[in-house]
Amino acid sequence: MKMKSTGRNRGFPLLLSIVLVFCILGMIVFSVSRKISQEMSESAIQNLNDSLDLIQYAIETILNKETEFQLLIAQEIAAAEDPIAYIRSREKNNTMVKISLILTGETEGISNTGEQFSEAGLDFSMERRINGLPVSQSYLNYMGTWAYCIKCPVEREGQEIASLYIEYVYDTLDKLLPDGFYNGKAILYVMDPESERFVLKPKGRGLRDAGHLNLEDFYRANSIEDPTLKRDVAECLKNGINIMFYHDIRSVNALIYMWPVNDGSLYLVGYVPIEAIQQEGRTVNQNILIVVLVMLIAFFLCCLLYYLNQRQQNKLRKEREIEREIHNRQLAQALQAAQIASNSKTTFLSNMSHDIRTPMNAVLGFTTLLAMEADNPVKVREYTKKITASGQHLLSLINDILDVSKIESGKVVLNFEPFSLNDLVSSVDAIIQPMAKGKHQNFHVEVSGIKHEYFIGDETRVNQILINLLSNAVKYTQEYGNIWFRIVGLKQRSAQYDHIRIEVEDDGYGMTQEYLKTIFDAFTRAENSTTNKVQGTGLGMAITKSIVELMGGTIEVFSEIDKGSLFRVELEFRIPEDQVDQQFWDNSGINQMLVANGAPETCRDIVLLMKNVGVQVDTVSSVEEALELIQKDSEYHVLLLDWELPDLEGTQTVQKLRVYLPDTVPILFLAAFDTVGIDGVLELAHTGLLTKPFFVSALKEKILELRGAAWEKDQAGGAKENSLAGLHFLAAEDNEINAEILEEILKMEGANCEIVENGQLAVERFACAAKGEFDAILMDVQMPVMNGYDATRVIRALKRADAGEIPIIAMTANAFAEDEKAALDAGMNAHVAKPIDVALLKKVIERYVKRKE
């Protein structure tokens, strides 16, 4: 017993010594680690400053090189005999998108793209300079890419003879930014400090969803709300100095930086997580800790050899427990992944069901009405037009669903094409009206202050914005409620762009102020006992906001519980150069028009729109005043009456007016979509209905309808314009239904075609055809035996004179951009997507097919 006691007494000091050594060693390791972390953090911050300085120097070097190169071009222009010819001969490259020249004393010039150029669309008021040359404010060019323009004088013998403008895109700076900035954990943007817009968003660097549009979006996405900090940032941006500050980004402490470039004309904006900055210090500490642990393990191995067998058994037991835990965790993760996949599928299908059923409802509804009104040509044309509009919207949705590359990249590309405001309003009205009527709601459409009807933009995306907002208004408004759809023309900011405000208002359930803060986040929906009855995925508002911001616009929302909601969207659309169609009105002999309407704003809008086409408009507020004016001057060529005038008596009013007006003068009524009691008046000769709101294009269509198709044909120049009469085509189409549709379409246009079932037969038929027998080849792509691409290559390789000249037009359901590129690479002249758009097909054929004399 005494010996055991002595063993314990000896073991206790040893244990105490070991614990004391461990404590001292731990304090030393902790102190060294802390000091190393602090030093490494300071070094990392200095490295960040050096990296930003290098990026700043690289960007400034590129900017200086651009100005030096532009000065060289200016010297070459000054030495050239014909500066305009020199500009036209220049081709754009990856850096210079567009080169323009304005001669001294002139307001417009020429670009190397062949279009007219004016400085009116550029803003040099910020007085930015690079090497002494003024630089414009950043803007979105026609490709939807952020760009800037540098202005340079062109001098010859000491005299300034012109000004040279070169447009550069910020995307060229992307290659200067470092790859894998802090192992991809840091975020780096290039910002225009004047507009505070992010003009360059490098791909694949950092968390892209933490604010990627402008500085305000950056603040909002990263919860930066301190007003004092925002003022300090604004002061630094104003003075062109750098600023760094710490802030939590998604509960992660980070260092946010704003670094000026070129004296503050650009800013590098982003943040680096502190953990990324301290990574090197942690690595060193981990290595020290590993060394210490190895020493301790060796020490313990020496001390505990006696217990090796027991520890080995405990280790085996623990390994089995860990293996079971890992297996259970893997099963839980697999179950969670399956649940997420199922929820994603349900969300996707629910969202697509909503978006597809909306236009499909209009298609089926108007198809039913079409069958009921088959004997009424006016209704047939109206319903057919609305079915076509809804079908086009449905087709655009299907294209979006099937565009795999677009879904994978997460990038939507805008398609800028001319479109009519009348067609846009009509297509939206055709979809929303049946939905509103199904709930006995009043749908009001108002258009005011509009100076132009035709714009250049992505009509499909605008249509998608409107249908998202309006369908939500219908869903979240009670029965017998009201919905207002307004389009308001605002003051133009540029002569080339029209500023439009779109408002969607309802007196429905409304939303709480808390929900308004997250309404544009994905998968969010207002939660209350009323709106929970309305189904939806919560993606609509997030998609709408993304599209609006992609177009360079803004969206706001105002709402109160039980009072309704108001969504306000502001967009700018480019005005096409051929806006005015005055030739129709001159040829039709219409230069005077009388409008009877009790709303002064509506009268002003009609006067402004008709003035643009050269038609003088007189306005009165009653039928009685209209009669008095007609008795004095019966030279009016069109009479437009508001159906809601107090003294309008329908048929009797028309009969009174006809006493003083010739029978050939159209009398039109401006009425709401669901006006009741007007059918009897429309049965009278040369009377018609215009649905509110008023559009010049709608008035033109109604006049053509009243005067007859023959007159329209004469005014359009006879059958020659856009006619396919007399043309003979060779068509390769393996689907019998599609072949029948194509044959009937061409037959209605006065053309004929010979159809073969695959590409091999098309090659053989063309090879044995006489020269000039076929005017063009319409080629499907996916066919048995030989596809359209291979058939085109074989035809182009045939040893006959017309093999390389005959137009070959792809007609296929492969409707994506890569499909069009593949068709052109195979040797085809053009690409037309199915379902066939007759107008587009005629336009393409007119462009490529040369008629025989």
Side-chain angles (χ1 to χ4, degrees):
M1 294 295 295
K2 186 176 182 180
M3 291 180 63
K4 293 182 180 179
S5 177
T6 303
R8 289 196 194 95
N9 292 334
R10 290 178 179 177
F12 180 78
L14 178 62
L15 178 63
L16 183 61
S17 300
I18 293 174
V19 171
L20 182 62
V21 170
F22 285 165
C23 291
I24 295 174
L25 183 61
M27 293 176 61
I28 294 174
V29 171
F30 177 78
S31 176
V32 173
S33 299
R34 185 173 182 180
K35 183 177 180 181
I36 291 175
S37 296
Q38 183 176 0
E39 292 177 352
M40 294 300 290
S41 297
E42 294 175 355
S43 176
I45 294 175
Q46 182 60 40
N47 290 339
L48 175 61
N49 291 342
D50 295 339
S51 299
L52 293 175
D53 284 336
L54 288 175
I55 297 174
Q56 170 192 354
Y57 176 78
I59 294 177
E60 289 177 350
T61 301
I62 290 296
L63 296 176
N64 291 330
K65 292 297 183 181
E66 289 175 350
T67 55
E68 293 174 1
F69 186 65
Q70 187 164 344
L71 289 170
L72 290 176
I73 294 179
Q75 293 177 4
E76 293 180 7
I77 294 174
E81 296 180 1
D82 188 350
I84 300 298
Y86 178 88
I87 290 296
R88 289 175 172 169
S89 65
R90 295 291 303 189
E91 296 183 357
K92 70 176 184 178
N93 53 37
N94 293 332
T95 302
M96 299 183 298
V97 176
K98 183 167 68 173
I99 304 175
S100 308
L101 185 71
I102 299 179
L103 298 178
T104 302
E106 298 183 5
T107 59
E108 291 188 351
I110 190 69
S111 299
N112 63 332
T113 59
E115 61 182 358
Q116 292 294 321
F117 175 79
S118 172
E119 189 181 330
L122 302 175
D123 186 2
F124 290 92
S125 60
M126 300 300 104
E127 297 184 357
R128 301 177 183 173
R129 292 185 176 275
I130 302 174
N131 277 349
L133 298 183
V135 183
S136 72
Q137 186 176 351
S138 302
Y139 59 92
L140 280 171
N141 63 14
Y142 73 96
M143 298 184 297
T145 302
W146 283 102
Y148 59 96
C149 184
I150 299 179
K151 178 180 178 181
C152 172
V154 179
E155 297 182 351
R156 179 186 293 170
E157 298 179 356
Q159 296 288 334
E160 182 174 337
I161 63 171
S163 294
L164 174 63
Y165 301 81
I166 297 185
E167 179 180 294
Y168 304 90
V169 293
Y170 285 103
D171 288 348
T172 57
L173 302 179
D174 190 51
K175 61 184 179 181
L176 300 176
L177 303 182
D179 291 329
F181 203 28
Y182 278 91
N183 295 325
K185 296 181 179 180
I187 189 170
L188 177 60
Y189 296 115
V190 177
M191 183 184 75
D192 180 357
E194 184 62 30
S195 62
E196 297 184 351
R197 298 282 301 200
F198 291 156
V199 297
L200 181 60
K201 301 180 279 293
K203 302 174 183 176
R205 297 185 176 93
L207 302 175
R208 296 294 311 283
D209 55 349
H212 62 276
L213 293 175
N214 52 41
L215 188 58
E216 185 62 29
D217 192 20
F218 186 82
Y219 287 156
R220 181 192 61 77
N222 299 306
S223 302
I224 301 176
E225 300 176 352
D226 187 357
T228 303
L229 179 60
K230 290 184 178 181
R231 284 196 299 270
D232 294 340
V233 172
E235 189 67 22
C236 291
L237 295 179
K238 179 180 179 182
N239 297 325
I241 59 178
N242 63 292
I243 182 173
M244 287 187 177
F245 57 90
Y246 291 96
H247 188 75
D248 287 344
I249 305 296
R250 297 184 183 85
S251 302
V252 176
N253 194 16
L255 177 63
I256 298 178
Y257 59 85
M258 298 184 183
W259 207 263
V261 178
N262 194 38
D263 297 329
S265 63
L266 292 175
Y267 261 82
L268 301 175
V269 179
Y271 65 83
V272 182
I274 297 300
E275 62 179 9
I277 295 178
Q278 297 176 344
Q279 183 62 39
E280 296 180 2
R282 284 198 300 272
T283 302
V284 174
N285 291 335
Q286 289 173 358
N287 292 334
I288 295 175
L289 182 61
I290 290 173
V291 172
V292 173
L293 289 176
V294 169
M295 295 174 61
L296 292 176
I297 291 172
F299 177 76
F300 276 110
L301 287 176
C302 295
C303 297
L304 302 177
L305 288 176
Y306 178 77
Y307 304 100
L308 183 61
N309 185 37
Q310 183 179 359
R311 287 179 59 84
Q312 184 67 23
Q313 293 178 358
N314 293 335
K315 181 179 179 182
L316 292 174
R317 178 178 55 83
K318 291 180 179 179
E319 287 180 351
R320 287 193 296 269
E321 292 178 356
I322 293 173
E323 185 175 347
R324 285 196 298 269
E325 182 180 352
I326 293 175
H327 181 67
N328 293 335
R329 187 164 56 248
Q330 289 175 344
L331 291 177
Q333 291 174 349
L335 177 61
Q336 183 180 8
Q339 291 174 343
I340 293 174
S342 177
N343 292 337
S344 300
K345 181 190 69 175
T346 302
T347 300
F348 176 78
L349 293 177
S350 177
N351 187 45
M352 287 303 101
S353 175
H354 167 268
D355 287 346
I356 292 176
R357 286 176 184 272
T358 300
M360 182 59 73
N361 177 60
V363 171
L364 295 178
F366 282 112
T367 302
T368 302
L369 295 176
L370 187 64
M372 297 171 59
E373 298 286 351
D375 298 330
N376 188 339
V378 176
K379 293 292 185 180
V380 168
R381 283 192 293 270
E382 179 183 352
Y383 295 154
T384 303
K385 181 178 180 181
K386 292 178 179 178
I387 290 174
T388 302
S390 300
Q392 290 294 338
H393 176 64
L394 181 61
L395 179 62
S396 68
L397 290 175
I398 295 174
N399 287 338
D400 284 345
I401 297 172
L402 300 179
D403 195 345
V404 178
S405 62
K406 188 182 301 181
I407 294 173
E408 290 179 349
S409 65
K411 183 177 181 181
V412 178
V413 179
L414 297 179
N415 183 22
F416 291 94
E417 291 182 351
F419 70 93
S420 166
L421 197 59
N422 179 31
D423 293 339
L424 178 67
V425 174
S426 299
S427 63
V428 172
D429 186 71
I431 294 174
I432 300 301
Q433 279 285 4
M435 297 173 59
K437 284 189 173 296
K439 295 183 67 175
H440 308 288
Q441 296 169 340
N442 299 316
F443 182 53
H444 310 277
V445 182
E446 302 173 5
V447 178
S448 61
I450 298 298
K451 299 179 182 179
H452 307 91
E453 284 191 31
Y454 296 91
F455 303 106
I456 295 177
D458 194 329
E459 181 181 8
T460 301
R461 296 300 175 189
V462 178
N463 195 296
Q464 187 175 357
I465 293 171
L466 298 180
I467 290 178
N468 276 343
L469 296 178
L470 289 169
S471 61
N472 278 344
V474 173
K475 287 193 302 182
Y476 293 101
T477 300
Q478 65 278 5
E479 290 191 350
Y480 302 100
N482 294 278
I483 298 169
W484 292 270
F485 170 35
R486 306 186 187 96
I487 298 181
V488 183
L490 302 179
K491 183 179 180 181
Q492 292 180 241
R493 299 171 180 170
S494 169
Q496 298 174 342
Y497 289 85
D498 216 343
H499 192 187
I500 302 297
R501 173 183 293 166
I502 299 171
E503 293 183 349
V504 174
E505 184 177 5
D506 63 70
D507 55 3
Y509 306 129
M511 295 171 282
T512 64
Q513 297 302 312
E514 291 76 11
Y515 175 66
L516 290 180
K517 299 177 181 179
T518 60
I519 185 174
F520 295 115
D521 295 340
F523 303 106
T524 58
R525 193 160 59 89
E527 296 292 336
N528 61 59
S529 59
T530 303
T531 59
N532 281 347
K533 300 176 183 178
V534 180
Q535 299 193 8
T537 62
L539 290 173
M541 289 299 100
I543 294 173
T544 299
K545 184 173 186 292
S546 298
I547 296 174
V548 169
E549 292 178 342
L550 186 64
M551 292 181 173
T554 60
I555 182 170
E556 298 178 288
V557 58
F558 311 91
S559 184
E560 292 186 34
I561 292 293
D562 297 328
K563 291 185 179 181
S565 303
L566 169 63
F567 287 86
R568 181 175 295 159
V569 177
E570 291 192 11
L571 298 169
E572 286 188 316
F573 296 106
R574 188 176 182 87
I575 304 170
E577 297 180 359
D578 53 347
Q579 177 72 217
V580 178
D581 183 17
Q582 190 168 348
Q583 182 179 2
F584 166 78
W585 304 97
D586 294 338
N587 293 342
S588 61
I590 298 176
N591 52 47
Q592 279 191 296
M593 177 177 172
L594 178 60
V595 176
N597 195 300
E601 293 183 359
T602 302
C603 291
R604 285 196 297 269
D605 292 339
I606 295 175
V607 170
L608 179 61
L609 290 173
M610 296 306 297
K611 181 180 179 181
N612 292 334
V613 296
V615 178
Q616 179 182 348
V617 178
D618 294 333
T619 61
V620 293
S621 59
S622 66
V623 175
E624 182 179 355
E625 294 179 13
L627 282 169
E628 293 176 359
L629 198 57
I630 292 174
Q631 292 176 19
K632 297 178 182 178
D633 183 5
S634 60
E635 294 299 325
Y636 293 108
H637 305 122
V638 178
L639 181 58
L640 181 62
L641 304 175
D642 187 358
W643 183 254
E644 298 179 358
L645 287 174
D647 57 345
L648 193 145
E649 300 175 350
T651 304
Q652 298 179 7
T653 298
V654 175
Q655 292 173 349
K656 291 179 182 178
L657 294 170
R658 283 300 181 199
V659 175
Y660 306 101
L661 287 175
D663 294 338
T664 57
V665 174
I667 299 179
L668 306 176
F669 294 93
L670 190 62
F673 173 82
D674 53 354
T675 300
V676 179
I678 197 173
D679 294 340
V681 178
L682 299 181
E683 294 177 358
L684 300 177
H686 291 89
T687 59
L689 171 65
L690 284 182
T691 303
K692 294 182 178 180
F694 174 84
F695 288 105
V696 177
S697 56
L699 174 62
K700 175 183 175 181
E701 292 178 4
K702 183 59 64 175
I703 292 175
L704 289 173
E705 178 184 325
L706 294 177
R707 293 193 174 184
W711 184 88
E712 179 183 1
K713 182 177 179 181
D714 292 339
Q715 295 302 315
K720 182 178 180 181
E721 183 178 356
N722 286 336
S723 174
L724 308 182
L727 297 179
H728 186 48
F729 299 96
L730 173 60
E733 174 61 68
D734 63 317
N735 186 284
E736 294 182 3
I737 295 177
N738 291 341
E740 183 179 354
I741 293 173
L742 175 62
E743 188 173 10
E744 289 298 324
I745 288 175
L746 294 176
K747 183 177 179 181
M748 287 188 293
E749 297 297 331
N752 60 79
C753 68
E754 181 177 336
I755 297 177
V756 294
E757 296 179 356
N758 56 62
Q760 180 65 42
L761 295 177
V763 173
E764 295 174 357
R765 180 64 183 90
F766 177 75
C768 64
K771 182 178 180 181
E773 180 177 351
F774 296 109
D775 295 289
I777 299 176
L778 307 179
M779 185 74 71
D780 191 12
V781 172
Q782 294 185 358
M783 296 182 292
V785 184
M786 179 182 289
N787 62 47
Y789 299 143
D790 293 338
T792 300
R793 294 186 182 97
V794 174
I795 290 175
R796 293 301 188 203
L798 292 176
K799 295 181 179 180
R800 50 183 292 169
D802 56 348
E805 300 175 355
I806 185 169
I808 302 179
I809 301 171
M811 295 181 59
T812 172
N814 300 338
F816 302 129
E818 55 268 28
D819 300 316
E820 182 175 358
K821 182 178 183 299
L824 298 178
D825 292 342
M828 299 184 186
N829 298 87
H831 177 279
V832 177
K834 294 178 182 177
I836 299 174
D837 185 333
V838 180
L840 178 60
L841 176 61
K842 291 168 62 177
K843 185 177 180 181
V844 171
I845 291 175
E846 284 288 331
R847 178 179 179 184
Y848 291 102
V849 176
K850 297 180 181 179
R851 290 184 173 272
K852 307 178 184 68
E853 295 295 335

